[in-house]
Amino acid sequence: MSKITAAITAVGGYVPDYVLTNKILETMVDTNDEWITSRTGIKERRILKEKGKGTSFLAIKAAEELIQKTGLDPKEIDLVIVCTASPDMKAASTAAYTASQIGAVNAFSYDLEAACSSFLFGMSTASAYIESGRYKKILLIGADKNSSFINYKDRATCIIFGDGAGAVLFEPNEEGLGLQDELLRSNGEGREFLQATYGGSSYPITKDTFDEGKHYVFQDGKTVFKNAVFNMADVAEKIMSRNDLVNNDIAWLAAHQANKRIIDATANRINLEEDKVMMNIQKYGNTTSATLPLLLHDYESQLKKGDKIIFAAFGGGFTWGSIYLKWAYNS
């Protein structure tokens, strides 16, 4: 009997209609298009404007596109995982609501949160469930409404983040395709450098903290950049080395879209040509948990069965890691 591996067999995605360009940001904070583009690579980002709609709305839309494209019966889905740093509500599961709304009535579901590494860690989790043999169809969604906790008077953060969602279906594979190896890491000493402090159990929101804007996301840009550059590149290089891979073996690098300079540094570390680097940061900015599946959504038509892909991510916490995956189908 062949060893069961966990392969991605379908992809869906969704971004909101409203486009927040650098030119619009110039009217909101003291910044300009040239400064933003040169330092981040971002030209625009999508923002979910509709009142009362949150991360689940984005997740549902991405899942529905996947279901429509494939003809998948939602009742066949065993598990729905929503990777997110911006759940709809505290306590109530965004994944459970998402599963119900898409008709996945036979699935259990839960949220997974590891900041910008959420989807990467979710890939590991979904794969383990598949490899156990207990589950056959797992819907893994990365979704974030970052605009819900961004201060649009803070030029250090408002230029970076956008809203969006991507979804993939994991299924068993007996051809040796799918997830091959992973190298995942975390270090809680880094949490002070990237977080939204107030609103959690340690620091509940009060009128004073709300009025002072302490519920918004905070980022120590220099520290986060330095750690992201080193750690993303480091794990990508290590996972290639331990799988005896060289740059010519790799079809694509799918790196978290936080900053183009970080992506370039990771590609340079593994000697990968620019045309092998998936890139959509210019269109969406940093969509946190959604960056990796949105890359797959945008590049799906270019992916070929057997393509070797290196995934890499870095996020608050700190959390980071790399995954080596073989693509399972021709679009």
Side-chain angles (χ1 to χ4, degrees):
M1 182 176 173
S2 301
K3 179 181 182 294
I4 294 174
T5 53
I8 292 173
T9 58
V11 179
Y14 176 78
V15 292
D17 293 332
Y18 179 78
V19 180
L20 178 59
T21 65
N22 290 348
K23 290 296 184 183
I24 296 174
L25 280 172
E26 288 179 5
T27 69
M28 299 166 63
V29 291
D30 182 16
T31 190
N32 61 72
D33 174 66
E34 191 280 329
W35 192 92
I36 297 171
T37 304
S38 64
R39 285 162 176 76
T40 69
I42 302 169
K43 299 295 289 186
E44 56 190 41
R45 62 290 291 149
R46 300 297 185 96
I47 305 296
L48 181 60
K49 287 281 195 176
E50 291 89 337
K51 187 176 181 181
K53 292 182 178 178
T55 292
S56 64
F57 175 81
L58 303 168
I60 290 164
K61 286 289 190 180
E64 287 177 341
E65 198 216 28
L66 183 151
I67 290 166
Q68 184 179 20
K69 280 167 58 176
T70 60
L72 172 68
D73 182 352
K75 295 184 179 66
E76 295 180 358
I77 299 171
D78 299 311
L79 166 61
V80 176
I81 302 174
V82 173
C83 307
T84 184
S86 56
D88 285 1
M89 305 172 181
K90 290 184 171 63
S93 167
T94 300
Y97 181 73
T98 299
S100 296
Q101 293 300 300
I102 64 173
V105 294
N106 296 314
F108 75 103
S109 53
Y110 59 85
D111 298 352
L112 190 157
E113 198 279 306
C116 295
S117 303
S118 295
F119 189 84
L120 189 81
F121 287 15
M123 290 175 67
S124 169
T125 304
S127 295
Y129 278 117
I130 293 291
E131 290 169 5
S132 75
R134 295 182 181 180
Y135 305 101
K136 305 297 185 187
K137 295 182 188 294
I138 297 177
L139 186 63
L140 179 68
I141 304 170
D144 269 305
K145 185 184 176 182
N146 290 307
S147 60
S148 63
F149 53 76
I150 295 298
N151 179 0
Y152 285 93
K153 295 180 180 178
D154 175 18
R155 67 175 183 174
T157 55
C158 72
I159 66 171
I160 298 170
F161 295 95
D163 303 337
V168 303
L169 183 68
F170 270 97
E171 294 186 275
N173 183 278
E174 295 185 355
E175 299 177 89
L177 302 171
L179 196 147
Q180 304 295 305
D181 196 11
E182 63 183 47
L183 184 57
L184 309 178
R185 294 289 183 265
S186 60
N187 181 356
E189 293 179 1
R191 76 174 184 171
E192 67 182 279
F193 301 110
L194 177 55
Q195 33 70 20
T197 306
Y198 284 83
S201 58
S202 295
Y203 302 93
I205 293 177
T206 65
K207 183 180 183 303
D208 289 342
T209 57
F210 182 83
D211 290 344
E212 293 171 20
K214 291 186 176 180
H215 58 293
Y216 292 125
V217 71
F218 164 79
Q219 176 173 274
D220 179 334
K222 290 183 179 179
T223 301
V224 172
F225 181 84
K226 180 177 70 174
N227 279 272
V229 166
F230 175 80
N231 287 311
M232 268 180 57
D234 181 61
V235 288
E237 183 181 49
K238 283 178 177 176
I239 206 163
M240 285 181 60
S241 176
R242 77 184 194 184
N243 286 278
D244 298 320
L245 297 169
V246 296
N247 61 328
N248 288 336
D249 297 323
I250 304 304
W252 297 99
L253 169 68
H256 172 54
Q257 306 286 289
N259 185 300
K260 187 177 183 296
R261 291 184 293 166
I262 299 173
I263 301 165
D264 290 343
T266 303
N268 290 337
R269 180 77 168 267
I270 59 176
N271 299 313
L272 210 61
E273 299 89 340
E274 188 176 346
D275 61 0
K276 290 185 175 182
V277 180
M278 294 184 185
M279 191 87 69
N280 61 15
I281 189 172
Q282 69 280 6
K283 297 190 296 182
Y284 308 136
N286 182 353
T287 55
T288 311
S289 308
T291 63
L292 296 181
L294 277 175
L295 283 174
L296 295 179
H297 180 256
D298 284 3
Y299 281 82
E300 184 185 19
S301 64
Q302 299 181 55
L303 302 179
K304 299 179 178 63
K305 185 175 180 179
D307 275 356
K308 296 175 181 178
I309 305 173
I310 298 296
F311 292 83
F314 180 89
F318 289 135
T319 58
W320 70 97
S322 183
I323 281 176
Y324 163 39
L325 178 139
K326 290 184 183 178
W327 196 247
Y329 65 96
N330 294 313
S331 298

